[in-house]
Amino acid sequence: MKINFNQPHLTGKEAHYMYEAVFAGKLSGNGKFTKACQAWFEQRYGFRKCLLTSSGTDALEMCAMLCGLKPGDEVIVPSYTFVSTALAFLREGAKVVFADSMKRNPNLDAESLEALITPRTRVIVPVHYAGVACDMDAIMAVAEKHNLLVVEDAAQAIDSYYISHQSSVVSRQPLGGIGHLAAFSFHETKNITAGGEGGLLVVNDERFVRRAEIIWEKGTNRAEFFRGEVNKYGWVDMGSSFLPSEVNAAFLWAQLENIDDIQKKRKQLWETYYQRLQSLSEQGRFTLPDIPDYATNNAHMFYLVLPSLEARTGLLAYLKEHEVFAVFHYLSLHSSHYYHDKHDGRALPECDRYADCLVRLPLFYDLGTEDVNHICDLIEAYYR
Ligand SMILES: *Cc1c(COP(=O)(O)O)cnc(C)c1O
């Protein structure tokens, strides 16, 4: 039985809505489906302003532009993340200062954050790895103390929450709704896709709303013109073409309509993995995903952390031999070919450990419980 690492899921309505968009005769961005998707996020999660983008990378680039960075300004980014998290800010002329991960999970270590802050620091970029929240109360407190902006890379974090235990009142905040700005991705490897590529910019801080719309619409005040707020539109600021076509928005709409079903199925599969692999974890073969008490699980990913690179190589090879395509994940950005010489030389040992030891197991909607059981049987057989 061959099991791929990922397979994009179709809810069944995608082609129907795309057909509708095509025959409505308005294919460019910011039409009916784009507005419906944006309103859906604003209503369901209480985000102040949402703008669909062509990718998560685009949304991060918009965030970086909105931060108004000057050359030499510093941005703190975890080293264990996708290239786009760092690249978006580097393109704005910022210096990227890489932070290490926590021991308990790959997220940015909030406790070591303050040591990285200098008079040039402007932005902190927490990445909610596997859709599991970073310690946002701690991060927001550091940001407030030093007057910094917080941009959440919520690319993997749709429908996941941070549970704040501050001042004895327990409150649930959706990820992407805590920092000043946030970015989601609808790439085909994420829980919800816009037909392969797509993203969303979230603006939580009122100060950035107007400029976000302008940057989104190629530096023009076109959005205000269409709302009838100005009687002509023109070039007013920096910008680019960040908005996706209506065809992609139509695809995304079909997925958003089914989000509860998608999340429920993914969580069931995730739980099956967790229960089946618990005893091997107790024997010290690997550790299972960590969900702190301030976080929820959106079942974006099921990963194991092995004790060494050799142990990981062995397990991956065994699974591949049995046609199960498990994969490793990020290589440390601070020691990448492109950034190595620009990094300040600090060792980031936890990040390197995840780069060497983390394994992602197949997890997608159309995977069956029997497939997960088959993968767990193989893993048990390997350690026997
Ligand atoms: C997927 C991902 C991105 C990039 O999103 P795209 O839509 O592929 O551009 C950025 N950051 C993280 C953490 C991601 O997982």
Side-chain angles (χ1 to χ4, degrees), residues 304-338:
L304 306 174
V305 183
L306 277 79
S308 68
L309 177 60
E310 294 69 41
R312 181 177 77 176
T313 308
L315 178 62
L316 282 177
Y318 177 83
L319 290 173
K320 191 172 172 201
E321 212 176 287
H322 292 83
E323 299 198 292
V324 169
F325 296 94
V327 294
F328 54 85
H329 210 183
Y330 305 128
L331 301 171
S332 306
L333 293 181
H334 71 281
S335 44
S336 62
H337 176 73
Y338 186 67

Side-chain angles (χ1 to χ4, degrees), residues 55-57 60 81-82 84-85 127 153 155-156 185 187 190 198 330:
S55 65
T57 302
L60 285 165
T81 183
F82 190 61
S84 302
T85 319
V127 178
D153 181 338
Q156 305 173 8
S185 167
H187 185 263
K190 306 301 201 275
Y330 305 128

Side-chain angles (χ1 to χ4, degrees), residues 162-221:
Y162 177 74
I163 301 161
S164 174
H165 293 87
Q166 259 182 353
S167 61
S168 76
V169 187
V170 179
S171 66
R172 242 164 68 113
Q173 293 164 278
L175 300 186
I178 304 166
H180 302 85
L181 299 162
F184 286 92
S185 167
F186 309 123
H187 185 263
E188 75 168 40
T189 53
K190 306 301 201 275
N191 292 25
I192 300 287
T193 177
E197 305 281 351
L200 181 79
L201 168 76
V202 177
V203 182
N204 295 310
D205 186 324
E206 188 63 41
R207 287 176 298 170
F208 298 110
V209 170
R210 178 166 187 261
R211 188 149 189 253
E213 276 189 335
I214 291 169
I215 290 175
W216 190 59
E217 285 269 31
K218 300 112 178 151
T220 73
N221 56 348

